[in-house]
Amino acid sequence: MKEGRQENGNSYGFMDRLRQIEREIAYWNTERLKITHPLRQLFWECTLRCNLSCRHCGSDCKKEAETEDMPLEQFLPVLDEIKQHQPGVKTIVFTVGGEPLVRRDLLECGRAITKRGFYWGMVTNGQLLDRAMMRALMEAGLCSMSVDIDGLRKEHNWLRNNEDSFARAYNAIGYMREEPRLTWDVITCVHKRNIGQLEAIKAMLAEAGVKRWRCFTIVPMGRAKGDEELALSDEEFKELMAFIARTRREGKIRLSYACEGYLGDYEGLARDHYYSCRAGLTVASVLNDGGISGCLSIRSNYRQGNIFTDRFWDVWTGRFQKYRNREWMRAGECGECEVFRWCQGNGMHLRDEDGALLRCHYKQLNSRKA
């Protein structure tokens, strides 16, 4: 596959010299991070419980999880370790799950994280968020928040399996917008039922005052595995990339594609940065059962240790070899791929338990109609 090829008479355009240089800079920056691996983001899977049962959930969270929420006092020593070894570095802690707001002690968690000098944020489905809770979260030190709007009302509620989900998520936008100190954005999972609504979704979000927007595609894991209504075809994926690039050129809303995979000629056009999977390089997570992994998008077992048997910092500095040397990915369809240098085998969250690649964005963008 050659970058810059033409599809149906439309050219994605050849990378000019500047973009080639920027791509190389991104490559060498990633190589540097493999050596230095400064911890910039830590995800805490603070609960496996959720008040929704979404069709696309990669973690298969439930209202009553089999595993109890990790007590705060078991997580805080991890932050103390990080602060000891990275004094002055403002690591961002994201409370995710599950739905963080189902934790009764979430405000206490936020205050404790803030007290230790860390920023913290959360991803929420918005179902339990009201103005009073928003104010309480801000007082507990909340710095960033993301809420999911997965289409217009009907399509959002279909994906979320709840007829009230859209209204509550949409109301959450207003609560976030009222907080001038909060960094926030909206996340949209793009699937077959909303791919044709992107312009309408954009108009709706712009009218609601949204300035930052991220589009994701759905990984075939958890409940999403085998659901043909969720996965975009190659042509639909190309349509999504073209929409993102066009919207970014317009400049009315800051849209970007998730940090999922290498996009060939769309690198530099669909995101603010060139592709690099930072799991294990600058991003780690503490799972609800104490497991230490990369980011929480990784549902396959690539754990490197457990905070109940290992010191977190020893694991972070001494392990994560699979994350920091990805030559093991140079096999199968990646074995002879001409863009492996920049793709590095795609994101860790797109590998199954056996290491096989679940999805190749570059291949999708360079496919031809039968």
Side-chain angles (χ1 to χ4, degrees), residues 4 6-7 23 118 124 135 151 161 170 192 267 310 349:
Q6 292 191 357
E7 302 290 342
R23 185 177 64 175
F118 293 85
T124 179
R135 291 302 308 146
N161 274 322
Y170 187 84
K192 283 189 177 298
E267 287 297 321
D310 306 292
H349 70 289

Side-chain angles (χ1 to χ4, degrees), residues 6-241:
Q6 292 191 357
E7 302 290 342
N8 304 321
N10 297 315
S11 175
Y12 290 127
F14 289 94
M15 287 186 175
D16 59 20
R17 182 59 178 160
L18 177 60
R19 290 177 64 207
Q20 292 178 18
I21 292 171
E22 289 173 342
R23 185 177 64 175
E24 280 299 298
I25 291 173
Y27 165 78
W28 287 109
N29 184 52
T30 299
E31 292 300 298
R32 178 178 61 83
L33 292 176
K34 290 178 182 179
I35 298 171
T36 60
H37 43 79
L39 185 62
R40 303 298 187 194
Q41 292 181 335
L42 177 67
F43 290 90
W44 178 31
E45 191 176 53
C46 66
T47 183
L48 288 176
R49 293 179 294 129
C50 188
N51 49 0
L52 291 178
S53 182
C54 305
R55 293 179 66 105
H56 66 305
C57 183
S59 54
D60 199 21
C61 294
K62 303 172 182 177
K63 289 184 178 179
E64 297 298 331
E66 297 175 358
T67 306
E68 294 183 0
D69 297 348
M70 178 186 290
L72 173 62
E73 57 268 22
Q74 293 179 350
F75 175 66
L76 291 179
V78 173
L79 299 186
D80 294 335
E81 280 190 59
I82 295 171
K83 188 173 182 179
Q84 176 186 353
H85 292 280
Q86 287 192 161
V89 177
K90 289 289 187 178
T91 302
I92 302 173
V93 180
F94 289 99
T95 55
V96 291
E99 168 55 45
L101 287 172
V102 303
R103 276 193 72 123
R104 294 182 181 272
D105 66 343
L106 183 63
L107 297 176
E108 179 187 347
C109 294
R111 286 190 289 267
I113 293 170
T114 301
K115 184 178 180 180
R116 281 165 171 75
F118 293 85
Y119 296 129
W120 73 281
M122 61 185 294
V123 180
T124 179
N125 59 33
Q127 303 307 290
L128 297 177
L129 190 67
D130 56 21
R131 186 168 283 105
M133 176 56 73
M134 188 76 252
R135 291 302 308 146
L137 289 167
M138 294 300 295
E139 291 171 3
L142 182 73
C143 294
S144 66
M145 177 178 277
S146 298
V147 69
D148 300 285
I149 300 288
D150 295 313
L152 303 180
R153 183 183 300 271
K154 180 180 178 181
E155 288 69 30
H156 174 100
N157 289 341
W158 170 81
L159 189 67
R160 298 284 166 174
N161 274 322
N162 186 292
E163 291 302 312
D164 298 320
S165 175
F166 176 85
R168 292 172 178 168
Y170 187 84
N171 288 340
I173 295 175
Y175 305 138
M176 295 188 298
R177 194 179 61 218
E178 292 174 356
E179 302 297 337
R181 294 185 293 110
L182 182 69
T183 299
W184 60 275
D185 68 356
V186 166
I187 295 172
T188 297
C189 288
V190 182
H191 51 83
K192 283 189 177 298
R193 291 203 181 191
N194 67 11
I195 182 68
Q197 301 177 337
L198 293 175
E199 289 291 346
I201 297 169
K202 178 173 67 175
M204 175 186 68
L205 295 180
E207 184 177 357
V210 175
K211 303 297 183 184
R212 296 181 180 89
W213 182 24
R214 283 182 289 162
C215 282
F216 284 65
T217 42
I218 298 172
V219 179
M221 283 190 167
R223 296 190 197 122
K225 187 175 182 179
D227 192 333
E228 295 182 358
E229 292 188 274
L230 299 181
L232 297 181
S233 68
D234 294 347
E235 294 305 313
E236 288 168 335
F237 186 63
K238 295 171 190 177
E239 179 183 342
L240 173 61
M241 290 300 106

